[in-house]
Amino acid sequence: AVFGVIRHPACAAVGGQEGGARVLGLWNTLRDSRQTCSPAALKARISTIEAMLALTDQHLAPRFGEPGVRQEYLQCLTSVMPEILFHLRDQSGAVRDASRECLHIASTTAIKQDLQAEVVALISAGLAGLTRHSKASAVDALSRLLYEHSARFSEDLQDRLIGVVLLLLADTDAQVWRATLKFSKVVVFVVPKSRLPKHLPQLLRMFDSKHLASAKMLMRAIVERLVKVLPAEVLAETFPSQHQPLLHYVQRLVSRQRRPKSTRAVKQEEQGEGEGEGQDAEMGGDEDEAPKETWDAFQGEEAGETKAGGDDAAPAAGRKRRAAEPP
């Protein structure tokens, strides 16, 4: 019923203080119905939250300069953000997609109103959760937030956020560690290369995990980006000695990619190398600028590896096995 009210043209047409008051009233109705929502109605509820966030952006965001409106919006985010984070890794693909869109709309609205620190604090609260699900979901949300809005973050806020999240590279749970590794990939792509060396010691702690073998493609993407943007001597000083062969291999690969195409073609003919050896390494240029890919394209390059192992793929793998069985 609430979803129908939100989607009605008359609701979108009401503006000013009256429209803002009605939006806040709908938020109260939505919040109070959380405990009575059945699993079958979860998709509809998350879709309603998504529509409410879009309506809030339309009616309340232009009035954030008025007393009380900014605080009311933060209270709405405080009540709804834990629910959004909880469903970021839901077994239902439709619920996951709606939750991710909710996160995108909420964070975009907040950051456009210079509420970066507040929205980071709300999401970071999930890092203190007792379950691996809450930690991994919070890291997922922070990864997208940093990727899409890093240019709006102050250097101090970026450094504090990165420092806190990268501590989870020491987590023994595979789900949390993998989420943090994806966050590490975001870091090496969005942080200016002049400030990246200060985070390098923490980033390289990814090699200490017992889950190392389950994320080889993702780790290689991180190492390749580091090779492209940092001086070789800086990496040589800080890179773990037992993984120096990986560093040298990636350095040679990047060096070949930087040669003129004509030179590479002649070299391949002489050595009998196959084409496309470095295609999977083309994760971005050396330029010190924000990524141009969408979030889905950016994180989708390791999707096959995620499905090959780890807890993230358990529901999908189960569905695939059942689909393969004869009727």
Side-chain angles (χ1 to χ4, degrees), residues 10 69 144 186 203:
V69 174
R144 181 169 185 175
V186 173
L203 285 167

Side-chain angles (χ1 to χ4, degrees), residues 27 50 52-64 70 73-74 77 101-116 119 145 148-149 152:
W27 270 119
E50 178 185 343
M52 274 295 304
L53 288 168
L55 190 66
T56 301
D57 181 57
Q58 176 184 349
H59 285 290
L60 291 186
R63 300 176 50 220
F64 273 179
R70 189 185 185 95
Y73 178 70
L74 283 176
L77 282 189
E101 188 60 26
C102 287
L103 175 66
H104 174 69
I105 296 173
S107 58
T108 300
T109 301
I111 288 176
K112 283 193 301 185
Q113 303 300 328
D114 294 324
L115 295 171
Q116 294 92 325
V119 75
L145 188 69
E148 294 181 336
H149 303 291
R152 303 290 296 269

Side-chain angles (χ1 to χ4, degrees), residues 31-33 43 54 99 109 117 130 169 173 179 186 221 226-227 238 251 265 269 274 287-289 300 306 319:
R31 180 196 59 205
D32 296 340
S33 65
K43 177 184 174 181
S99 299
T109 301
L130 298 179
L169 284 174
D173 182 80
V186 173
L226 291 173
V227 167
T238 54
Q251 286 173 331
E269 289 179 3
E287 295 82 1
D288 193 5
E289 58 184 15
T306 301
R319 289 194 297 269

Side-chain angles (χ1 to χ4, degrees), residues 71-82:
Q71 189 60 35
E72 287 283 356
Y73 178 70
L74 283 176
Q75 289 179 0
C76 291
L77 282 189
T78 301
S79 65
V80 78
M81 190 61 74

